Amino acid sequence: MTTEQLHTYRQELYQHLTKELLPFWTARTVDQTYGGFITHFDQHGNDTGEDEKSLIAQTRSIYTYASAHRAGYGNGQLANLARHGVDYLLSRMWDTEHGGFYWMTNRAGKVLIDEKIVYGQSFAIYCLSEYTLATGDPRGAAYAQQVFDLLQKYAVDSAHGGYFEMFHRDWTLKGPGSAGSDRKTLDAHMHLMEAFTTLYECTQQPIHRRKLLEVIDLLVRRIMHPEYGTGVPQFWADWQVAPQIKFDIIWGWDRFTEDGVKRAAEDNTSYGHNAEFAWLLMHALDILEIPQDTYREQLIKSFAHAIDYGVDWEFGGIFVEGSHSGAVYDREKEFWQQAEVLIGFLDAYRLTGDERYWDAYANVHRFVVDKMMNHTVGEWWPLMTRQGVPIWTHMSHSWKINYHTVRSMIQSIRRLDLLLAER
């Protein structure tokens, strides 16, 4: 690693963030008619006309604009965008009778799916806490705390720990199997850690700190593989490993086989998730003011698995997933995993000083900048072949939104700045 490399990489990311990525979103996402955000764009950046506004896309968009404003970008414009999104979220997606946020409305704000999905509620906590931190508007923290309280009342599994995830509108559990009531996931609990971290940063309330510590302990003891330190995707309610299946309301539909079961359903782990978990844990420990060495063994295992097995040293980038013991199952390149390992490998380098992590960062950085970024339009290709040819071509939909890409650029620039300052 040289100072010249650091400056070059930082400039490439800064140029993309400020001249391409943020302008892509600020130019087209605001729904001036009904409020909230339009989130479905084709490969040319044109609105595809999908008549839906999902909780996940609206909350992630709010988080994106609030966090970018807090990081010093946008000259106030991004704070206004975040406020625009919050206005829609609170007026159209909040359930005034039962509390919590609906899963989906149409563009005009009519509720299409009234269910309460913990994955979505976690992003509501995350974005609203970030919004208050960024703007000082107390509405964000007030609603974030209400959602937190609802999760403690209805979603906590008092017998086995953790959170149930799939509920009807009135917070009664849905059915088993694909309805999801008898399963728990890495995904939801990792994002609860992320959400509780920002909630605690915002409120400094002891109960928020306590529940954050509780979910960290659960992730490390129950959800990460006891030998390899890698994320296990799905469990039964009692934390026995469950075959990974597709839920009725689910992210990543198209990554499953036709029968709704994942390949190698009981032995698969995501390299991107493992790196994301590790850097989010490091951030949580910073907010909690707990030494990172407290979980050093877990952090090293998560990062090491990604670099040992997930990095494509031939074509660049990070693979999708493989077994806990190391075999690679899926050698395609998914946008969000590249975004998360950029942050993760920089944190791993800063944690360990191991040059392998800098080499891995440089590898993924080059793949992302040269192949995954659609510089002409401004966003990233969602899924590519191993060699870097687009497979999916849309720039955005409910699950492929600005959260991973913008956050990756902001957080990677921040870490490159820290490395430069240390020199």
Side-chain angles (χ1 to χ4, degrees), residues 103-117:
W103 183 248
M104 189 174 293
T105 69
N106 67 6
R107 286 200 182 190
K110 178 183 177 182
V111 177
L112 300 179
I113 301 176
D114 64 8
E115 294 175 3
K116 307 294 167 57
I117 311 301

Side-chain angles (χ1 to χ4, degrees), residues 90 123 128 143 152 184 210 216 219 224 227 290 299 313 320 331 346 355 375 389 422:
L90 302 186
F123 274 96
L128 290 167
Y143 276 88
Q152 307 316 310
K184 295 170 183 168
R210 196 173 87 226
I216 288 172
L219 281 158
M224 308 309 285
E227 179 179 357
I290 293 174
L299 294 168
W313 295 105
V320 171
R331 296 178 185 269
L346 287 174
E355 288 288 336
H375 293 285
V389 177
E422 290 167 4

